């Protein structure tokens, strides 16, 4: 099975900051990588698929990059609504697996 | 607008069974893979199962094989998850999602397994 390791597991940032979250796969997954945002008590929301393609309606402040085993999610100009937990997930093969999540908190 | 509405969750005793449903609308149902993902209280996301467009191909996380069965009814535009021999650690919110990349998610249904 492919393991997905996210780092950091949590971070504190201020409104207006830029943050970067990394996701590493235990083996190559081409670009079959998705990113999700989950606010407390809510369902996950798709942000990015195919490592760098923004889901329809997602603001361009979110961006993804990487291929193979190393990927990043960058959020520019953090706003209060961006404070949430972010997950990566590969869909290169079964079983699909998620990273452990990164909680973005207000400093 | 894509809409996914899960139902069928609730309180069940260990060893019991449940059938979860996910009613879909707003997209061409029979052209998409569908998945179930669960989230235990305070924990991360765990993929459970996926099914292909015509229901001929099912995939499961190994640890749940044999107790969980995913199915779909394209005429009714619905996805299902049958769960047998429920355990306390099956307690979670169960989400349905469109595509293996999770393009759209429902709001989830809570399954609580407790005596």
């Amino acid at each position: 099975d492919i393991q997905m390791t996210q780092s950091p597991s949590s971070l504190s940032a201020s409104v207006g900051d830029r943050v970067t979250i990394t996701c590493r796969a235990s083996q190559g997954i081409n670009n079959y990588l998705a990113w999700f945002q989950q606010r407390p008590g809510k369902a996950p929301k798709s942000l990015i698929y195919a490592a760098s393609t923004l889901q329809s309606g997602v603001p361009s402040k979110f961006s993804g990059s990487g291929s193979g085993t190393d990927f990043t999610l960058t959020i520019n100009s953090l706003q209060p609504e961006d404070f949430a937990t972010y997950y990566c997930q590969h869909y290169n093969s079964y079983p699909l697996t998620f990273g452990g999540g990164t909680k973005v908190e207000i400093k | 607008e894509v809409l996914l509405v899960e139902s069928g969750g609730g309180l069940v005793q260990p060893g019991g069974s449940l059938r979860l449903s996910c009613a879909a609308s707003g997209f061409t149902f029979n052209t998409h893979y569908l998945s179930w993902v669960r989230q235990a209280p305070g924990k991360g996301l765990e993929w459970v199962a996926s099914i292909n467009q015509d229901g001929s191909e099912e995939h499961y996380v190994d640890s749940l094989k044999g107790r969980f069965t995913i199915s779909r009814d394209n005429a009714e535009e619905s996805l299902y998850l049958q769960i047998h021999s429920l355990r306390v650690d099956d307690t979670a919110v169960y989400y349905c999602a469109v595509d293996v990349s999770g393009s759209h998610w429902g709001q989830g249904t809570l399954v609580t397994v407790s005596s």
Side-chain angles (χ1 to χ4, degrees):
Chain A
D1 298 359
I2 298 172
Q3 309 303 316
M4 305 300 293
T5 304
Q6 270 183 252
S7 60
S9 56
S10 66
L11 65 90
S12 294
S14 301
V15 171
D17 283 354
R18 181 170 78 170
V19 301
T20 298
I21 298 168
T22 65
C23 181
R24 175 165 288 176
S26 60
Q27 64 190 74
I29 58 170
N30 300 293
N31 68 336
Y32 295 121
L33 192 281
W35 289 98
F36 303 95
Q37 176 194 64
Q38 187 176 34
R39 296 184 177 118
K42 300 296 186 183
K45 172 189 172 184
S46 175
L47 297 175
I48 286 167
Y49 63 96
S52 61
T53 303
L54 223 55
Q55 193 67 247
S56 176
V58 173
S60 59
K61 61 188 294 180
F62 293 95
S63 64
S65 65
S67 69
T69 60
D70 294 310
F71 302 86
T72 61
L73 172 70
T74 299
I75 313 169
N76 287 306
S77 186
L78 268 177
Q79 296 302 304
E81 61 269 22
D82 301 328
F83 291 92
T85 300
Y86 294 84
Y87 295 93
C88 62
Q89 178 226 316
H90 89 82
Y91 52 100
N92 181 74
S93 59
Y94 292 103
L96 313 182
T97 50
F98 290 87
T102 297
K103 187 173 184 179
V104 178
E105 299 176 298
I106 299 175
K107 186 183 287 183
Chain B
E1 179 196 2
V2 173
L3 190 61
L4 301 166
V5 180
E6 300 93 336
S7 60
L11 176 63
V12 62
Q13 291 192 334
S17 297
L18 270 182
R19 189 195 197 204
L20 306 182
S21 301
C22 173
S25 61
F27 64 103
T28 308
F29 187 83
N30 62 6
T31 63
H32 290 267
Y33 270 70
L34 299 168
S35 299
W36 286 98
V37 176
R38 70 181 184 178
Q39 186 170 37
K43 302 297 184 183
L45 300 170
E46 179 185 27
W47 172 75
V48 171
S50 294
I51 189 167
N52 71 340
Q53 292 89 337
D54 66 3
S56 62
E57 187 182 306
E58 302 166 25
H59 299 273
Y60 300 91
V61 64
D62 279 349
S63 59
L64 303 179
K65 265 182 199 172
R67 294 195 301 120
F68 286 53
T69 303
I70 189 172
S71 62
R72 65 190 294 165
D73 184 332
N74 285 346
E76 295 293 323
E77 297 194 328
S78 292
L79 175 70
Y80 304 101
L81 185 69
Q82 179 75 50
I83 313 173
H84 295 291
S85 302
L86 276 155
R87 304 170 181 168
V88 172
D89 62 1
D90 292 322
T91 295
V93 175
Y94 286 75
Y95 297 101
C96 62
V98 180
D99 300 320
V100 290
S101 59
S103 61
H104 298 87
W105 296 62
Q107 86 290 346
T109 187
L110 176 62
V111 173
T112 303
V113 184
S114 175
S115 54

